[in-house]
Amino acid sequence: MSTVVSTDGTVLACSVTGSGPAVVLVDGALCHRGVGPSAAIAERLAAHHTVWTYDRRGRGDSGDNGSFAVEREIEDLAAVITAAGGSARVFAHSAGAALALRAAAADIGIARLAVYEPPFSTEEAQSERFREYVAELTAALAEGRRGDAVAALMVYAGAPAEAVEGMRGAPGWSLFEAVAPTLAYDAAALGDRTDSAVPVDLLATVAVPTLSLDGGDSPEMLRAPARAVAAAVPGAEHRTLDGQTHEVVAEVLAPELVAFYA
């Protein structure tokens, strides 16, 4: 493990593997280097790239100075890219993709950007569900009910409430609770003040080659935003990975990324 210091002094934990042009991976909600898909993706990319994985602020081994705005996480990603040499290809998953798209618009050194199923809203019904989720999340975090915050996310994402209740006793649940406050950061990246609508005007300013991916077996509520992002970013490509869901398999994803980054 190495560390990078962000603009506001927050220390971010990083891992570096492989050799070649730099790639930075940006995790989605509840994930970090020890939990989630990044380790498997990094392993698959390492033959072609120097892969940087990092714990977003408030997660894993990274710090958090307690004063949050989306701009702080953009600065965090910029700090990692600077440590990687000042320019890097980026892959971002789910809510991390919303953050990476905002970072690309801020021109922080992203050379090429690939995103997988950024969960923006493309219909009013989705926006309404997002508003309800943010209200429930905000109340749960304010009252210290971290488990309820995690459950709110999972139900919002489509998991049956009964199944989520059954998961509370699982060994990994405490790992989710540990990073529950960062769910507010993901909500902010998605647009907690704009009901998570696709930020078309912002995306129109992205000037880096962009690939927007979705899974052929994912629900339409996740596939539609991927298409909308590709339509909004000038010159962006859209591709569907057949047979994949939101939990995309590294063995399927990695060849697409290697080809795009080349």
Side-chain angles (χ1 to χ4, degrees), residues 91-92 112-118 209-220 222-231 233 235-246 248 252-262:
F91 170 72
R112 297 178 76 85
L113 173 62
V115 297
Y116 190 88
E117 295 187 349
T210 300
L211 172 64
S212 183
L213 297 160
D214 62 47
D217 286 353
S218 288
E220 179 62 14
L222 291 173
R223 299 188 64 192
R227 295 193 301 270
V229 164
V233 175
E237 304 174 50
H238 170 259
R239 197 165 303 147
T240 295
L241 303 185
D242 292 339
Q244 295 301 297
T245 66
H246 198 56
V248 62
V252 175
L253 173 67
E256 299 289 338
L257 298 181
V258 169
F260 175 65
Y261 292 149

Side-chain angles (χ1 to χ4, degrees), residues 121 124 126-128 130-131 190-197:
S121 296
E124 175 54 34
Q126 289 175 271
S127 291
E128 176 60 28
F130 183 76
R131 286 192 291 270
L190 284 166
D192 56 359
R193 296 175 182 172
T194 57
D195 300 332
S196 74

Side-chain angles (χ1 to χ4, degrees), residues 124-225:
E124 175 54 34
Q126 289 175 271
S127 291
E128 176 60 28
R129 288 183 58 217
F130 183 76
R131 286 192 291 270
E132 293 170 355
Y133 160 66
V134 169
E136 187 175 353
L137 172 67
T138 301
L141 293 178
E143 296 166 10
R145 295 183 285 110
R146 292 191 173 196
D148 290 345
V150 174
L153 170 71
M154 292 183 173
V155 172
Y156 169 67
E162 298 80 5
V164 173
E165 285 302 311
M167 293 173 61
R168 286 180 182 255
W173 188 262
S174 61
L175 298 175
F176 295 147
E177 288 191 347
V179 298
T182 67
L183 292 175
Y185 304 173
D186 291 306
L190 284 166
D192 56 359
R193 296 175 182 172
T194 57
D195 300 332
S196 74
V198 179
V200 174
D201 291 344
L202 179 72
L203 297 184
T205 70
V206 173
V208 303
T210 300
L211 172 64
S212 183
L213 297 160
D214 62 47
D217 286 353
S218 288
E220 179 62 14
M221 67 176 289
L222 291 173
R223 299 188 64 192

